[in-house]
Amino acid sequence: MQTGGRQGPEIWLRGPVPLPVDAGPQAPEHPSSIPTAIPTTTPAAAPRRFSWVATHGGTGVTTLASVYGGQDCGRDWPGPGDPPSILLVARTHAAGLAAVSRALEVFRRGEAPAGLDLDAVVLVADAPGRLPRQLTPYVKAIESVIDVYHVPWVPSWRLGDLTGPPPRETEALARLTGTPRRPH
């Protein structure tokens, strides 16, 4: 990448990037055009809808879509009627982390279908307990390029019981997806 004649690093930007506008010099605003009162109410935003996309088999996208809402796309890209906002899902074992890294590379190279918006990665625990130390660098590498939400091992989900509230550790994911809060 050339920047002012110097070689710079490749940079990934997270979130929307505004296009530069060269409109020339701006005329100062006329005082009568400045609003005198700030509205006290703003319209409530509807929760954003997501498509859950599995990066490999067995990620749990069906369970996640049932618990958090959204469209279960399995291992396919969202269709025309599905939400274009994507949450990529992977298990936290070595093969799962490699699969999500490959999927992120597809987006980085611009090879994902047009119109899709990659919002985050959801890493689902592949076993109870802590992540093995050897896998931590792979998770940190993923976290360095995109927002990552972690879902712990949930024994009741393994048994098919999806009636309880989402785990406390997933409150940030629940906020993102608009899932109702945990009862107190």
Side-chain angles (χ1 to χ4, degrees):
M1 176 172 113
Q2 293 293 326
T3 55
R6 297 178 304 190
Q7 181 76 19
E10 178 178 351
I11 299 173
W12 284 25
L13 298 176
R14 294 166 67 174
V17 179
L19 296 175
V21 178
D22 186 22
Q26 297 287 325
E29 285 191 32
H30 189 274
S32 65
S33 66
I34 300 172
T36 56
I38 299 173
T40 57
T41 60
T42 57
R48 192 166 183 187
R49 291 194 55 233
F50 292 95
S51 290
W52 299 88
V53 177
T55 58
H56 58 89
T59 61
V61 293
T62 300
T63 298
L64 293 171
S66 295
V67 172
Y68 296 97
Q71 179 65 39
D72 175 1
C73 291
R75 294 183 66 188
D76 297 324
W77 294 117
D82 298 332
S85 298
I86 293 179
L87 296 174
L88 286 177
V89 182
R91 290 285 179 169
T92 56
H93 48 60
L97 296 173
V100 77
S101 294
R102 286 190 301 273
L104 289 171
E105 185 65 14
V106 167
F107 276 92
R108 189 190 71 79
R109 290 190 313 247
E111 296 172 357
L116 296 182
D117 182 22
L118 177 58
D119 281 280
V121 166
V122 178
L123 296 179
V124 180
D126 65 311
R130 297 180 59 129
L131 184 71
R133 185 179 61 234
Q134 299 89 332
L135 297 177
T136 301
Y138 298 103
V139 172
K140 288 193 181 300
I142 295 165
E143 290 173 337
S144 73
V145 296
I146 192 162
D147 291 331
V148 175
Y149 296 88
H150 297 269
V151 177
W153 182 262
V154 182
S156 61
W157 290 359
R158 189 175 193 201
L159 299 172
D161 179 9
L162 307 179
T163 59
R168 184 182 329 259
E169 299 90 344
T170 66
E171 285 182 9
L173 179 60
R175 279 191 306 276
L176 176 72
T177 59
T179 304
R181 297 193 183 271
R182 295 173 58 90
H184 293 284

